[in-house]
Amino acid sequence: MKILLTGGSGFLGWNFCKTLRFKHEITAFYFQHELFLEKCNFYKIDIRNRDEVFEAVKKIQPEVVVHTAAITNVQICDQDRDLAYSVNVEGTKNLLDASAEVGAKFVYISTDLVYSGDGSFFTEDTKPEPKSYYAQTKLEAEEIVKSYDNYIILRLALMYGWGNVFTNSFSDWLHTELRAKRKVKVFADQFRTPIYAVDAVMAIDELISKDIKNDIFNLGGPERISRYNFALKFADVFGYPQDLIIPVPMDSVKTYLAGAKDCSLNISKIQSVLSFKLKNVDEGLNAMKRS
Ligand SMILES: NC(=O)c1ccc[n+]([C@@H]2O[C@H](COP(=O)([O-])OP(=O)(O)OC[C@H]3O[C@@H](n4cnc5c(N)ncnc54)[C@H](OP(=O)(O)O)[C@@H]3O)[C@@H](O)[C@H]2O)c1
């Protein structure tokens, strides 16, 4: 399949390229961070530039556009709202219009943070109540996506796995700090349903190959866990001392995720259409270690 992936230099996009580059013909957009990977065609583009987006999409003629690019740092989104809006909302609109022109399916990667953060195991029918500006922009983009035909929206949970030299995911950060034997303070009262990045990629791959359109799915792991307990398991699997991990309550530090105490996802809907079982944290961390 001919796939155009945005955010190829990001955490999810990189895992997508690494996992699927021998199966699909992938052109991966990046913006500031150039990477090289055999069988993956990287293409520098600013998705805010409508003309650039149209020119590239028309040239590539993808069957599917997987849109992962975004300003994902919650603090930056809060402090530079114009930037967050122009990339996360207007950039998505540029890609949607260009994708519609070439008749491509559009897969939009949203976030578990669109939910209120004060429930548990949210379903796709739960009314979104984003608490951060980041999540507001992701939800506004979802609404725009829904006004087009042939889309899939995936509300993704916190991901873990191997990143690249430029990425700074939660698991990248844990690995760097623990390897350097530095103590890490981790929220004991923030709950998510973390997903192994390769599972997220495999799920996207299955969904785009099925006859599914105009639908929304939660995409997370099956296990609700605090960041602290996740970090303990991470240390255990990778052989780091667990006493480097210090549990702290969310209200002990200024955080831009203050509202997001529990964004755990109910994943029954997506699990029912996938041919494989999404991994729990132990399974995912062990798969990560083996890879
Ligand atoms: N990571 C998670 O745990 C998580 C959880 C829930 C939802 N999500 C969602 O999943 C998606 C992927 O997240 P991620 O963690 O992979 O993100 P990430 O590592 O922060 O990567 C963001 C990507 O967006 C690109 N980008 C930023 N501004 C751009 C612009 N103006 N034009 C073109 N590309 C631009 C970046 O390119 P350069 O680096 O080359 O500039 C990078 O490739 C995002 O939509 C995010 O909202 C992620």
Side-chain angles (χ1 to χ4, degrees):
M1 210 181 286
K2 216 174 188 186
I3 297 178
L4 168 54
L5 168 81
T6 70
S9 49
F11 187 69
L12 177 61
W14 176 247
N15 277 280
F16 191 94
C17 290
K18 281 193 74 177
T19 309
L20 298 177
R21 65 201 155 120
F22 296 108
K23 179 172 179 189
H24 298 297
E25 191 183 322
I26 302 174
T27 301
F29 285 179
Y30 69 96
F31 178 40
Q32 288 176 301
H33 300 111
E34 187 169 14
L35 290 162
F36 297 94
L37 196 59
E38 191 197 345
K39 284 280 293 162
C40 202
N41 185 18
F42 282 91
Y43 201 106
K44 180 175 171 65
I45 214 159
D46 182 347
I47 61 168
R48 292 170 295 182
N49 185 323
R50 194 170 168 86
D51 292 341
E52 258 184 39
V53 169
F54 268 75
E55 196 185 317
V57 172
K58 279 194 201 154
K59 189 168 148 202
I60 297 159
Q61 293 283 323
E63 292 155 82
V64 179
V65 172
V66 179
H67 178 34
T68 82
I71 303 298
T72 58
N73 183 304
V74 178
Q75 183 172 349
I76 291 174
C77 286
D78 195 66
Q79 291 170 344
D80 192 343
R81 293 183 171 217
D82 290 345
L83 172 72
Y85 194 85
S86 62
V87 176
N88 295 1
V89 181
E90 291 169 352
T92 301
K93 173 91 168 70
N94 291 339
L95 284 155
L96 275 162
D97 286 335
S99 305
E101 200 158 301
V102 300
K105 182 185 276 288
F106 196 85
V107 180
Y108 175 64
I109 307 301
S110 186
T111 171
D112 54 357
L113 295 175
V114 297
Y115 295 116
S116 68
D118 55 12
S120 271
F121 294 113
F122 293 102
T123 70
E124 292 82 354
D125 297 330
T126 313
K127 190 174 178 303
E129 276 180 64
K131 293 284 164 59
S132 60
Y133 189 68
Y134 160 69
Q136 279 177 37
T137 62
K138 297 294 290 184
L139 182 62
E140 188 165 335
E142 273 192 18
E143 291 303 324
I144 299 172
V145 173
K146 285 199 274 184
S147 67
Y148 288 69
D149 188 33
N150 206 2
Y151 69 82
I152 299 175
I153 293 172
L154 298 172
R155 291 181 177 152
L156 184 63
L158 180 70
M159 271 183 304
Y160 59 93
W162 299 114
N164 61 53
V165 286
F166 303 121
T167 56
N168 191 22
S169 70
F170 181 55
S171 57
D172 289 331
W173 171 75
L174 269 181
H175 221 130
T176 307
E177 297 304 301
L178 297 178
R179 194 171 38 210
K181 299 189 174 54
R182 285 192 286 266
K183 291 196 168 176
V184 290
K185 288 184 181 171
V186 187
F187 296 141
D189 53 355
Q190 189 189 82
F191 295 86
R192 309 286 279 272
T193 33
I195 182 166
Y196 179 41
V198 176
D199 271 8
V201 169
M202 303 290 282
I204 297 170
D205 186 34
E206 270 206 41
L207 290 181
I208 60 182
S209 67
K210 288 182 198 286
D211 191 22
I212 292 172
K213 67 175 204 173
N214 303 344
D215 213 345
I216 302 188
F217 296 88
N218 288 338
L219 177 55
E223 184 178 354
R224 175 182 174 275
I225 189 170
S226 70
R227 283 204 191 236
Y228 172 64
N229 281 324
F230 176 90
L232 289 180
K233 283 178 186 261
F234 187 94
D236 186 40
V237 169
F238 287 95
Y240 297 119
Q242 292 194 327
D243 58 9
L244 290 175
I245 299 162
I246 316 297
V248 292
M250 285 178 72
D251 58 15
S252 67
V253 279
K254 179 167 169 45
T255 167
Y256 288 86
L257 282 173
K261 280 221 161 199
D262 187 337
C263 284
S264 55
L265 299 176
N266 177 318
I267 57 161
S268 312
K269 183 175 173 185
I270 197 158
Q271 191 60 85
S272 71
V273 299
L274 294 177
S275 66
F276 70 98
K277 214 170 150 295
L278 293 158
K279 291 180 190 60
N280 66 28
V281 172
D282 286 322
E283 292 164 341
L285 287 173
N286 280 297
M288 178 181 168
K289 191 182 176 193
R290 285 193 302 273
S291 68

